Amino acid sequence: MSRFGTSNRVPAARRGGWRDLRRLLLYTVKRLLALFVTVVVGVYLTIVIANMGGQVDDLRRVQIRSEAAEVVRADPAFQDLSSQERNEMIQRQVALEVERLRLDEPFLVRSVDYLQRALRLDLGRAEQMHSDLGSRAVRDIIVERLPATLLLFGTANLLIFFVSVFVALWLSRRYGSALDRSVVALAPTSAAPAWFYGIFLILLFAFVAPLLPAGGMVAVPPPEGRWAYALSMVRHLLLPVSAMLLSQIFISIYSWRTFFLIHSSEDYVEMARAKGLPSRLIERRYILRPTLAPIVTSFLLMLIGLWSGAIILEQVFNWPGLGSLLFQAIGHRDTPVIIGGVVIFAYLLAATVFLLDILYAVLDPRVRLAGGRQ
């Protein structure tokens, strides 16, 4: 009988596994569709705002006419033409450029076309800016800047996460100590953004005590040799990473230490202690694992806020990433680069939210997927 009972339980377990997998896939698809709609709306609003409802097109036509007139007047081949012939030549040049940029079409038609191409990352050519290699393709400009942003924010956020978790877990064992009270007192300092701390760090360590570079990603000229280049990059990373660390570390430690304190007083933890289980095992299995879902949630929400502050932080440290690129594009009114930068940031934010949803569904068994029963 036990053999038959076991054989009946195996297909039931398999059916349950397939049912959970289907629910997870359906949940994933729904979240992807919702995030895609959010990205579409955000990118389209950016296209409208970046064009100022068509005013940028008017400025662009004036600029095209000014440049065409300058070229015609400066060309010796057109010096013998009459003023009427030169004006006709200028009009033809302007008409060709307007047609090339599709400024003769209604803005609504062009905005929908911009949206379709932007979502496919077919970002076209920049109007004013170019990459360090001289390319005017927006994709090349963004690809050149994206690794710098990922390096800075990836390094800082991984450091914040692991330092905060281990320090918070350590402080939860020393509740009420002088160090614990110090962290609680310093938690409000996280209200200041990272760029605010960055300004003071630059003043202290780049000017008052010139130990570290004030900005940039690597020394100029770049050092020869792989190790020398890596060392220069690490020195340039120290100040911006420290600024991000100061702006988030104390509030993260305070929040996560509170999670650990709450779970360490649960009945099942007291039962584990009464059984004589090692403290390390109790912390890992009965305190850290149940708090992992809210910790990951708060960390990724913090990460979303840090993405939003990338523009100012990179500009303060002259870091050649997407944030400084977007700031320069706004100054140049380079609409394709603005739209391209916003699209990449939108995808990064959507990917962060999607990762948060999936991790929360995996880590917390109480989360219902697709309205089903766990």
Side-chain angles (χ1 to χ4, degrees), residues 29-182:
V29 171
K30 286 184 176 181
R31 292 304 299 156
L32 282 174
L33 288 176
L35 290 172
F36 179 75
V37 171
T38 304
V39 169
V40 168
V41 173
V43 172
Y44 187 76
L45 288 176
T46 302
I47 292 172
V48 175
I49 294 171
N51 199 66
M52 297 181 185
Q55 293 185 19
V56 173
D57 290 344
D58 298 334
L59 295 174
R60 202 174 299 162
R61 291 188 186 94
V62 172
Q63 183 179 5
I64 290 171
R65 181 172 182 81
S66 176
E67 291 175 355
E70 191 68 27
V71 169
V72 171
R73 292 192 181 99
D75 195 334
F78 302 138
Q79 294 296 324
D80 297 334
L81 297 178
S82 64
S83 60
Q84 182 178 356
E85 290 174 333
R86 279 200 298 269
N87 288 334
E88 291 175 356
M89 178 71 68
I90 293 172
Q91 291 292 344
R92 286 196 295 270
Q93 295 290 337
V94 171
L96 289 174
E97 188 66 14
V98 166
E99 184 178 359
R100 186 184 70 83
L101 295 176
R102 301 178 58 186
L103 296 177
D104 54 339
E105 298 180 4
F107 173 70
L108 182 61
V109 175
R110 284 185 290 115
S111 65
V112 174
D113 182 64
Y114 288 158
L115 177 63
Q116 293 175 353
R117 290 191 289 113
L119 294 175
R120 298 195 308 266
L121 297 180
D122 180 14
L123 303 172
R125 294 176 61 82
E127 297 174 358
Q128 305 289 335
M129 306 177 67
H130 56 79
S131 67
D132 292 340
L133 298 177
S135 175
R136 298 291 292 272
V138 176
R139 181 179 298 178
D140 294 340
I141 298 173
I142 290 177
V143 167
E144 187 179 73
R145 298 292 191 98
L146 182 59
T149 294
L150 295 179
L151 172 65
L152 174 59
F153 283 83
T155 303
N157 286 299
L158 287 176
L159 191 62
I160 290 170
F161 179 78
F162 288 109
V163 170
S164 298
V165 168
F166 286 111
V167 174
L169 192 59
W170 184 78
L171 283 180
S172 67
R173 299 194 297 266
R174 292 160 178 81
Y175 175 71
S177 64
L179 186 58
D180 181 60
R181 293 196 299 270
S182 300

Side-chain angles (χ1 to χ4, degrees), residues 175-314:
Y175 175 71
S177 64
L179 186 58
D180 181 60
R181 293 196 299 270
S182 300
V183 170
V184 173
L186 289 172
T189 61
S190 296
W195 59 264
F196 177 81
Y197 290 105
I199 294 173
F200 286 97
L201 290 176
I202 290 172
L203 289 174
L204 287 176
F205 296 104
F207 295 101
V208 176
L211 302 174
L212 294 171
M217 184 175 172
V218 72
V220 180
E224 297 181 0
R226 181 179 302 176
W227 291 108
Y229 191 92
L231 181 60
S232 177
M233 188 177 296
V234 169
R235 293 186 72 246
H236 285 76
L237 265 173
L238 285 176
L239 286 185
V241 168
S242 300
M244 296 177 68
L245 193 69
L246 286 173
S247 70
Q248 294 294 330
I249 190 69
F250 294 113
I251 190 64
S252 299
I253 293 173
Y254 174 71
S255 301
W256 300 347
R257 159 253 196 204
T258 304
F259 290 147
F260 292 141
L261 285 175
I262 292 173
H263 283 79
S264 63
S265 61
E266 294 288 345
D267 293 338
Y268 58 83
V269 177
E270 298 295 337
M271 180 67 69
R273 291 196 181 104
K275 289 181 179 179
L277 295 179
S279 59
R280 297 291 182 184
L281 179 62
I282 293 174
E283 286 181 352
R284 186 174 65 252
R285 180 178 297 177
Y286 298 104
I287 298 177
L288 184 58
R289 285 181 62 181
T291 57
L292 200 56
I295 284 175
V296 170
T297 301
S298 63
F299 172 70
L300 290 178
L301 291 175
M302 176 189 72
L303 184 60
I304 293 173
L306 290 176
W307 280 124
S308 303
I311 297 177
I312 303 177
L313 180 71
E314 290 187 358

